[in-house]
């Protein structure tokens, strides 16, 4: 196709007539694989004679084409046509030139994305001159070419930023960073006369973003050297201190926030913060990173951290005094750094003299009721609540950073800071300032509430504090509704943390105040009142009794609020109400479930609509619409969880449970049929709960089993972990149907074979597949003879390739279960695989039996004992020749398992009791969250330990990747003690007594095979003979107890 025709074709993609647009897109799809099409697009993008919209449409298509077709692995990307080699060469020849001459920012972004994907695939092996071409642009006298070189530098670095085992990033750093820092210095110190302010700011933004991208996961040796650190450090401080001319940025604060100059400043702050947080803080540096960064960290914390602190402190002082403006992102970065300074001894010494100023001059104003909060309250009260209550909703805001800083001070430097912070709060409230400031003081109290209630010198005063400063705010005038909201929030927070009332009347007046707020005209007040009421109900029987007569009204209020706001936090309230008032809600459980199912259906459909309406190619719009869809999805998850709580609460009433099940089934079908992947976990939880509590499978539940199978065999192949409990219940409680339905038995067999043989699944999925087929073997004895050969040959195939101890054991359990199912047939099939295979199986099995911890769980031991019992009862003629000489040894094997069985049963029982005893012991918890040490030493807390664990796990996985690439053996060296009891696993063997069964089997063995019996019993050593007598005694005792029962 000639260029004009191609250009006209792409012009149809933005034609207002949808039919013309659709026809054009179909034609483009047909032409996708034609050689020369990509080269033609490059010419269209470069041509000034083509209108800008067509050039942009071409650039968008080019980006997507490169992403999907630059390299196509035929095995995994069916239906995609690779870009021909000649077009790939044209791309590499033209793309940098196009970047340098791009007519618009949007086209630049599309070309940059394409460059990143090409570089990720071809650099350095198939595009060796790329770096030289980029360096030529960077050293050009043309500002547009320099800008293009900076864009290219960023994209190349982004292509390799997560490849930790590669030496590409260190090489790029050494080659590009010295050039980039000089460009930035020249632009700031002696800007070229032909460059505009926006061009300078844009290039500076790209340079700093490139540096930040290089340090996401590693800091190269070049960057650690003084040769790099000094010039970059100087540049970063210069950018942070830069006074941006007023005329260089927009007047509107939101637009100014997005301007290139403030983006550049944001990245400068971000780099300094990242250098300190990940690499330059020796007291918090994980042990796995000490070798690479230990010396750098010591140097950085001494030479650079104090300078960063002083510069940041100066910026905040200027900001608080109104002398400078700081973007929100920059404020967030500054206080994130201050928070990092709290735990190390050296930086705490810098921060300690200034923390009170920072709390009073910055944290307090941030937590006060600002005009911005007022505007959000007025325009979008739901979003106001979401931001206030959900700390993860807007984690990178100044308010979030200020709150985190406050909590870090209070918890990590409790002796030094806590009482002075509380004294400040009390001073503010005593002065009775205007409502916005009182809000700030109470907001600080709420933020610190859990810590306050753990402090031995403070928690006893909180009842008085509530009566003096909080109670009156429930009666705030109509123009100050936010005071009623914060009063509810403070009360709810300290109640949750364990407030004990000395005066029951004080509790009553506060409860009455909260109850009145449930009918408040302002939505945020009603929501905060609901949250506070739930905490009061949980903590106080008097409140619970007082609410009981009105529980229906409260539930209706919660439902209405939930439907108005779609806030997940209200679902937690609903769950609490259902758990606390099970008896009262039993008559209306079905009605409540139906209402919740309606809400779930609406949210699920709105989530789908939001995803479908997301515009293709527009990243910002895609993220924005994705947020809407995510909010709906999270709300739907919360509703599903509440429905699950109702299911649990009506377990004692089978009729109501059956009625509720029929109401719930349609939402499960809706979720699965519409392939709402994010909600699969919730849907399968409901299926599991319903089938387990009903202990039978209703007719309307079987279509869900069929749907589950279809999904697993298609899009949801990696959801077996979520599906397994439900599938196990179908097999366990639907045995009659499975016996009558060979197609259902075949479905379970398909899931098993796919899970253990698919290249797209991991060993955890294979373990789950083994558990499922084990369930079928145990529950359908005598009804799956036709599947036995497939099961055995599948298990045999992966026996030698399993890497993890979990899969090795699960696979062995499958084979042992096959022996238990039908010993003669199983041994015959195993021996038919290859001569001597049965001997190999027995060797593996008995090596596992005799190894310490080889059969770690009670279930593993019982399966082995029961299988050995079936072998003892086997006709001698059915024993394969390959194992006949060792046959008598199976008695000793059984005794070895019996030796460890009592201990395993006791450990499982203790674990069950510990699990059932769900009381949260707070004994040592106080010390974990409050650092009461007198000395100002380095602080190592739970967060530090968590980061240490993550870093060490990351190092382990990287080492594993290196070994895998080198072809080394990756078999796990950890023993089976890592495999824990599965308390939720219920098996038909649970009700079988292994002692009685073994005694009966041994008697049969003596009768059927007296010669082998004689050898088996006389070859036992004295310890084994004593153990055999003990097993026989216990068997006799159990038999008598069963007879008496």
């Amino acid at each position: 196709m000639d260029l004009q025709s191609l250009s006209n074709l792409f012009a149809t993609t933005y034609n207002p007539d949808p039919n013309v647009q659709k026809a054009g897109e179909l034609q483009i799809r047909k032409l996708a694989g034609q050689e020369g099409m990509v080269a033609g697009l490059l010419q269209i993008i470069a041509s000034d004679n083509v209108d800008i919209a067509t050039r942009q449409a071409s650039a968008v298509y080019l980006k997507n084409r490169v992403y999907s077709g630059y390299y196509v692995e035929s095995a995994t990307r069916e239906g995609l046509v690779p870009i021909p080699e000649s077009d790939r060469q044209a791309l590499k020849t033209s793309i940098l030139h196009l970047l340098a001459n791009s007519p618009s920012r949007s086209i630049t972004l599309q070309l940059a994305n394409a460059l990143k994907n090409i570089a990720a695939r071809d650099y350095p092996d198939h595009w060796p001159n790329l770096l030289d071409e980029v360096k030529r642009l960077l050293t050009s006298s043309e500002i547009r070419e320099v800008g293009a070189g900076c864009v290219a530098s960023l994209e190349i670095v982004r292509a390799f930023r997560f490849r930790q085992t590669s030496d590409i990033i260190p090489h790029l750093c050494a080659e590009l960073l010295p050039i980039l820092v000089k460009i930035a210095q020249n632009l700031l110190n002696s800007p070229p006369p032909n460059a505009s302010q926006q061009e300078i700011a844009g290039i500076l933004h790209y340079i700093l973003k490139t540096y930040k991208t290089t340090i996401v996961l590693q800091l190269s040796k070049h960057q650690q050297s003084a040769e790099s650190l000094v010039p970059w450090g100087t540049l970063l401080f210069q950018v942070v201190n830069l006074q941006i001319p007023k005329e260089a940025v927009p007047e509107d604060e939101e637009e100014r926030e997005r301007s290139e100059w403030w983006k550049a400043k944001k990245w400068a702050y971000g780099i300094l913060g990242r250098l300190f947080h990940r690499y330059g803080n020796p007291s918090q540096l994980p042990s796995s990173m000490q070798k690479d960064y230990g010396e750098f960290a010591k140097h950085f914390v001494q030479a650079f951290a104090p300078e960063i602190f002083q510069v940041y402190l100066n910026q905040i002082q200027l900001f608080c005094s109104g002398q400078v403006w700081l973007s929100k992102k920059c404020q967030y970065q500054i206080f994130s750094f201050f928070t990092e300074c709290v735990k190390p001894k050296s930086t705490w010494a810098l921060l300690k003299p200034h923390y009170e100023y920072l709390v009073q001059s910055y944290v307090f104003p941030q937590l006060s009721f600002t005009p911005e909060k007022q505007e959000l309250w007025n325009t979008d009260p739901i979003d106001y609540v979401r931001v206030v209550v959900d700390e993860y909703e807007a984690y990178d805001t100044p308010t979030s950073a200020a709150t985190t800083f406050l909590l870090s001070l209070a918890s990590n430097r409790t002796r030094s800071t806590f009482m002075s912070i509380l004294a400040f709060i009390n001073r503010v409230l005593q002065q009775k300032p205007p409502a916005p400031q009182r809000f700030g003081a109470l907001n600080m109290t709420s933020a610190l509430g859990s810590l306050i209630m753990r402090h031995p010198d403070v928690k006893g005063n909180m009842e008085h504090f509530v009566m003096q400063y909080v109670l009156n705010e429930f009666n705030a005038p109509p123009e100050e509704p936010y005071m009623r909201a914060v009063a509810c929030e403070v009360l709810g927070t300290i109640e949750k943390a364990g407030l004990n009332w000395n005066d029951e009347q004080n509790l009553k007046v506060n409860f009455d105040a909260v109850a009145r707020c449930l009918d408040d005209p302002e939505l945020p007040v009603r929501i905060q009142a609901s949250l506070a009421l739930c905490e009061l109900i949980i903590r106080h029987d008097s409140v619970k009794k007082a609410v009981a007569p009105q529980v229906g009204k409260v539930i209706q209020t919660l439902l209405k609020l939930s439907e108005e706001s779609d806030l997940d936090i209200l679902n937690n309230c609903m769950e609490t109400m259902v758990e606390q008032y099970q008896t009262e809600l039993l008559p209306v459980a079905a009605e409540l479930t139906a209402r919740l199912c309606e809400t779930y259906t609406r949210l699920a459909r709105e989530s789908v609509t939001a995803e479908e309406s997301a515009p293709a190619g527009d990243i910002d719009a895609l993220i924005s619409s994705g947020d809407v869809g995510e909010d709906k999805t999270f709300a739907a998850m919360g509703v599903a969880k509440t429905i699950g709580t109702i299911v649990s609460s009506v377990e004692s009433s089978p009729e109501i449970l059956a009625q509720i099940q029929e109401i719930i089934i349609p939402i499960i079908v809706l979720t699965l049929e519409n392939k709402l992947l994010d909600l699969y976990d919730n849907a399968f939880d409901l299926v599991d709960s319903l089938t387990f509590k009903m202990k039978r499978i209703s007719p309307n539940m079987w279509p869900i089993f069929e749907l589950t199978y279809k999904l697993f065999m298609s899009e949801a192949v990696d959801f077996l972990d979520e599906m397994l409990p439900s599938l196990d219940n179908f097999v366990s409680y639907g045995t009659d149907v499975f016996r009558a339905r060979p197609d259902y038995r075949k479905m379970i067999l398909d899931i098993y074979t796919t899970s253990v043989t698919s290249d797209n699944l991991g060993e955890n999925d294979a373990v789950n597949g083994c558990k499922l087929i084990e369930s079928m073997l145990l529950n359908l004895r005598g009804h799956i003879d036709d599947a036995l050969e497939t099961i055995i040959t599948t298990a045999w195939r992966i026996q030698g390739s399993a890497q993890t101890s979990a899969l090795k054991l699960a696979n062995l359990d499958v084979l042992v279960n096959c022996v238990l199912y039908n010993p003669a047939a199983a041994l015959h099939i195993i021996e038919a695989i290859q001569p001597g295979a049965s001997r190999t199986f027995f060797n593996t099995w008995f090596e596992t039996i005799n190894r310490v911890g080889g059969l770690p769980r009670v279930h593993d031991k019982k399966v082995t004992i029961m299988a050995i019992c079936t072998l003892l009862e086997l006709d001698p003629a059915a024993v394969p020749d390959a194992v006949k000489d060792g046959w008598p040894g199976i008695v000793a094997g059984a005794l070895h398992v019996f030796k460890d069985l009592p201990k395993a049963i006791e450990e499982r029982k203790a674990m069950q009791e510990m699990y059932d005893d769900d009381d949260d012991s707070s004994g040592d918890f106080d010390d974990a969250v409050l650092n009461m040490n007198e000395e100002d030493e380095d602080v190592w807390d739970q967060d530090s330990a968590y980061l240490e664990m993550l870093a060490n796990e990351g190092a382990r996985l990287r080492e594993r990747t290196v070994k895998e690439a080198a072809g080394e053996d990756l078999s796990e060296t950890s023993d089976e003690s890592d495999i824990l009891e599965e308390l939720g696993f219920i098996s038909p063997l649970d009700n079988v007594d292994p002692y009685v069964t073994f005694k009966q089997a041994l008697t049969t063995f003596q009768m059927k095979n007296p010669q082998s019996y004689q050898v088996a019993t006389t070859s036992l050593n004295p310890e084994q003979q004593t153990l055999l007598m003990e097993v026989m005694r216990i068997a006799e005792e159990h038999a008598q107890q069963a007879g008496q029962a």
Side-chain angles (χ1 to χ4, degrees), residues 848-1036:
T848 305
I849 288 172
N850 294 318
R851 188 170 65 245
V852 175
L855 300 175
R857 297 166 301 197
V858 172
H859 176 73
D860 304 320
K861 291 176 168 58
K862 286 185 86 170
V863 167
T864 280
I865 290 170
M866 299 305 294
I868 287 176
C869 289
T870 63
L871 292 173
L872 290 173
E873 294 172 340
L874 194 62
D875 191 288
V879 178
D881 292 338
V883 295
K884 277 184 177 177
D885 59 333
W887 199 250
I890 62 175
V891 173
L895 291 173
H896 193 94
V897 181
F898 272 116
K899 181 181 176 183
D900 296 332
L901 181 61
K903 182 184 175 186
I905 291 172
E906 282 304 311
E907 288 176 352
R908 179 184 170 91
K909 184 179 177 183
M911 188 183 291
Q912 184 70 57
E913 288 172 355
M914 189 170 63
Y915 178 79
D916 292 339
D917 182 15
D918 205 25
D919 294 333
D920 253 334
S921 170
S922 58
D924 299 327
F925 192 54
D926 292 1
D927 296 334
V929 294
L930 291 175
N931 177 18
M932 306 296 283
N933 293 334
E934 297 281 357
E935 301 297 325
D936 289 341
E937 296 298 324
D938 290 326
V939 175
W940 183 267
D941 63 2
Q942 290 176 333
D943 290 341
S944 309
Y946 180 65
L947 291 174
E948 166 84 6
M949 182 273 293
L950 288 179
N952 292 343
E953 179 64 10
R956 186 188 71 80
L957 291 173
R958 286 193 296 277
E959 183 182 354
R960 181 182 173 88
T961 302
V962 171
K963 286 182 177 179
E964 190 174 29
E968 294 184 29
D969 181 22
L970 294 178
S971 297
E972 275 193 2
T973 55
S974 60
D975 61 30
E976 283 78 1
S977 63
D978 294 335
I979 303 172
L980 301 175
E981 285 285 354
E982 296 173 333
L983 300 179
F985 181 73
I986 296 173
S987 158
L989 296 183
D990 291 346
N991 298 320
V992 176
D993 190 319
Y995 292 91
V996 174
T997 306
F998 180 72
K999 182 176 184 295
Q1000 293 169 349
L1002 200 60
T1003 302
T1004 304
F1005 185 42
Q1006 183 180 16
M1007 292 170 57
K1008 282 190 174 183
N1009 199 342
Q1011 187 177 354
S1012 293
Y1013 173 83
Q1014 181 73 16
V1015 175
T1017 51
T1018 56
S1019 62
L1020 297 176
N1021 61 38
E1023 182 186 354
Q1024 290 171 330
Q1025 290 175 355
T1026 303
L1027 181 58
L1028 177 59
M1029 287 188 285
E1030 177 65 11
V1031 169
M1032 293 297 105
R1033 184 192 68 76
I1034 294 172
E1036 189 65 34

Side-chain angles (χ1 to χ4, degrees), residues 504-526:
E504 186 70 21
Q505 185 60 29
N506 289 345
L507 169 61
K508 184 179 184 307
V509 295
N510 278 276
F511 159 60
D512 289 342
V514 169
R516 286 195 303 274
C517 287
L518 286 176
D519 296 319
D520 198 277
E522 298 286 342
L523 179 70
V525 179
R526 298 199 299 275

Side-chain angles (χ1 to χ4, degrees), residues 211 215 219 271-280 296 300:
Y211 189 95
I215 62 172
L219 190 68
I271 291 167
L272 290 169
R274 185 66 175 174
L275 287 172
F276 181 62
H277 168 69
R278 184 167 172 83
Y279 309 105
F296 173 81
F300 191 89

Side-chain angles (χ1 to χ4, degrees), residues 768-837:
N768 286 330
C770 290
K771 291 176 184 175
L772 181 59
I773 205 66
E774 194 178 350
S775 178
M776 193 160 82
L777 285 162
L778 289 169
N779 283 285
L780 296 173
R781 292 185 71 173
H783 295 275
I784 55 168
D785 294 353
D786 54 341
L788 196 61
E789 185 172 355
T790 301
I791 296 170
I792 290 173
T793 53
T794 302
W796 191 266
R797 203 157 51 238
I798 65 165
Q799 188 174 233
S801 60
Q803 301 286 341
T804 61
S805 54
L807 180 55
K808 289 174 182 175
L809 179 62
N811 193 57
L812 177 64
D813 277 345
V814 170
L815 289 169
V816 174
N817 265 285
C818 290
V819 171
L820 173 59
Y821 176 87
N822 187 328
L827 292 178
H828 174 75
I829 293 167
I830 291 172
E831 188 63 23
I833 293 172
Q834 63 186 62

Side-chain angles (χ1 to χ4, degrees), residues 621-853:
L622 187 63
I623 292 171
S624 175
S625 62
D627 287 343
V628 174
E630 277 185 11
D631 288 343
K632 301 294 182 185
T633 300
F634 282 126
M637 288 176 181
V639 173
K641 200 173 170 200
T642 306
I643 294 170
T645 305
I646 295 175
V647 171
S648 298
S649 72
V650 301
E651 183 178 4
S652 59
S653 178
E655 298 84 4
I656 295 176
L657 181 59
Q659 187 181 356
I660 282 176
Q661 176 177 254
E662 298 308 309
I663 296 169
I664 295 172
I665 283 175
I667 69 166
I668 298 170
V669 173
L670 170 79
T671 305
L672 301 183
E673 284 186 342
N674 287 278
K675 300 180 174 63
L676 304 180
L677 300 184
D678 291 334
L679 297 172
Y680 276 6
D681 197 6
N682 303 87
F684 287 119
D685 272 348
L686 287 172
V687 177
D688 175 31
S689 183
L690 288 166
T691 51
F692 179 74
K693 293 181 191 312
M694 291 285 291
K695 297 290 189 289
R696 61 184 177 82
I697 310 299
S698 71
N700 288 334
M701 191 62 83
W702 284 109
I704 291 176
F705 170 74
E706 296 174 15
L707 256 176
T708 302
Y709 168 74
K710 288 174 185 173
L711 287 169
F712 176 79
M713 298 304 289
S714 53
E715 295 92 346
V717 69
D718 51 350
F719 277 85
L720 185 55
D721 207 39
E722 290 79 5
M723 296 173 175
L724 178 64
S726 303
L727 291 170
D728 181 43
N729 290 346
F730 277 113
V731 173
S732 300
Y733 304 122
T735 50
D736 290 344
V737 174
F738 271 99
R739 287 169 187 153
R741 294 289 297 267
D743 55 330
Y744 280 8
R745 300 196 296 271
K746 176 71 164 53
M747 288 177 188
I748 295 293
L749 188 62
D750 285 348
I751 293 173
Y752 164 65
T753 55
T754 302
S755 70
V756 298
T757 59
S758 173
D759 293 334
N760 297 321
L761 297 176
E763 294 210 345
N764 184 59
D765 296 295
V767 170
N768 286 330
C770 290
K771 291 176 184 175
L772 181 59
I773 205 66
E774 194 178 350
S775 178
M776 193 160 82
L777 285 162
L778 289 169
N779 283 285
L780 296 173
R781 292 185 71 173
H783 295 275
I784 55 168
D785 294 353
D786 54 341
L788 196 61
E789 185 172 355
T790 301
I791 296 170
I792 290 173
T793 53
T794 302
W796 191 266
R797 203 157 51 238
I798 65 165
Q799 188 174 233
S801 60
Q803 301 286 341
T804 61
S805 54
L807 180 55
K808 289 174 182 175
L809 179 62
N811 193 57
L812 177 64
D813 277 345
V814 170
L815 289 169
V816 174
N817 265 285
C818 290
V819 171
L820 173 59
Y821 176 87
N822 187 328
L827 292 178
H828 174 75
I829 293 167
I830 291 172
E831 188 63 23
I833 293 172
Q834 63 186 62
S838 57
R839 182 61 177 260
T840 303
F841 163 66
F842 272 92
N843 287 344
T844 302
W845 184 14
F846 278 76
E847 281 171 13
T848 305
I849 288 172
N850 294 318
R851 188 170 65 245
V852 175

Side-chain angles (χ1 to χ4, degrees), residues 10 86 101 605 630 791 916:
F10 273 88
S86 61
N101 294 279
R605 286 181 172 149
E630 277 185 11
I791 296 170
D916 292 339

